[in-house]
Amino acid sequence: MELALFDFDHTVTTCDTYGRFLRRVATPEQLAQAWWKVGPWLLAYRLRLISAERIRARVTRLTFSNRHVDDIATQAVGYARDVLPEVVRPQMLEQIRWHLQQRHTVVIVSGSLDLYLRPWCESLGLDLICNRLESRDGRLTGRYADGDCGPRKAEHIRHRYDLSRYQRIHAYGDSREDRPMLALAHDRWYRGKPLSP
């Protein structure tokens, strides 16, 4: 038995799919306010003054608070169908399919959302560990159910899978948040390049 772990944004894809999804579902009012409500935070993130976890929490709260679950879910299915195929790296899709052909367990491990990742993963037969949005009475709260899994990827992997059962573990990532996940693996790929064991 072998396990293959793939980060999604900037690893499987050429871009940040979460940011694109936020722009797709944001209301006109939210888009008009984005520059002064989110702009300084994005600058701080790019300067490495705040973490990816903090910027995700802020934009998630601003975009999804009090939105209808069904409306966002419908838009997410369309996003998975229409946008994701255009931004997936062909060589990474080929790598995923190779692991599947070898009968490896393949898992997408992402700080992005299940609403659009789940349909994409199901179409390929992949397992999924990612963020889920919290809801109450049919409306989103703007928070993650169970917290942000981005900085806790390795913890979620260990909780879901008995790693001692796998003869070999492969991991693919591109960011600081992926490093604990990469540390679980025998074969590690960081930004498309193999890392020494």
Side-chain angles (χ1 to χ4, degrees), residues 1-177:
M1 288 177 59
E2 298 193 21
L3 180 67
L5 307 165
F6 287 83
D7 167 58
F8 194 68
D9 288 344
H10 294 289
T11 300
V12 172
T13 69
T14 59
C15 64
D16 173 18
T17 61
Y18 191 40
R20 286 190 178 201
F21 182 66
L22 291 171
R23 288 189 292 277
R24 184 183 178 106
V25 301
T27 65
E29 181 183 1
Q30 289 171 336
L31 288 171
Q33 296 174 355
W35 175 247
W36 60 273
K37 283 191 172 181
V38 179
W41 284 68
L42 285 173
L43 179 60
Y45 170 69
R46 289 187 180 130
L47 294 172
R48 297 186 178 205
L49 299 175
I50 63 171
S51 66
E53 179 181 13
R54 287 188 67 197
I55 191 74
R56 270 197 305 268
R58 181 166 180 82
V59 297
T60 297
R61 186 172 60 253
L62 291 171
T63 306
F64 295 115
S65 290
N66 209 32
R67 303 285 299 275
H68 286 282
V69 174
D70 291 344
D71 176 47
I72 299 299
T74 298
Q75 292 188 63
V77 170
Y79 184 76
R81 181 189 63 237
D82 302 332
V83 177
L84 293 187
E86 300 297 318
V87 298
V88 168
R89 298 177 192 270
Q91 68 272 26
M92 292 307 292
L93 186 57
E94 186 178 321
Q95 189 67 20
I96 288 169
R97 287 182 169 144
W98 179 84
H99 282 291
L100 290 171
Q101 288 166 1
Q102 307 308 306
R103 300 185 182 271
H104 299 166
T105 300
V106 182
V107 190
I108 297 295
V109 187
S110 176
S112 288
L113 291 181
D114 67 327
L115 291 174
Y116 60 83
L117 286 178
R118 188 165 305 287
W120 187 82
C121 287
E122 286 175 351
S123 73
L124 292 167
L126 311 179
D127 290 357
L128 176 62
I129 294 172
C130 69
N131 282 323
R132 297 179 302 113
L133 293 175
E134 180 183 75
S135 64
R136 289 182 190 153
D137 302 320
R139 287 189 177 266
L140 298 168
T141 66
R143 292 186 299 269
Y144 292 125
D146 306 318
D148 186 351
C149 85
R152 299 183 295 128
K153 290 180 178 183
E155 177 186 330
H156 282 274
I157 292 163
R158 284 193 193 95
H159 180 74
R160 178 90 64 90
Y161 302 96
D162 178 0
L163 300 184
S164 67
R165 296 178 60 222
Y166 296 94
Q167 295 172 317
R168 199 145 198 89
I169 300 172
H170 312 263
Y172 304 80
D174 79 296
S175 71
R176 285 177 289 171
E177 282 189 346

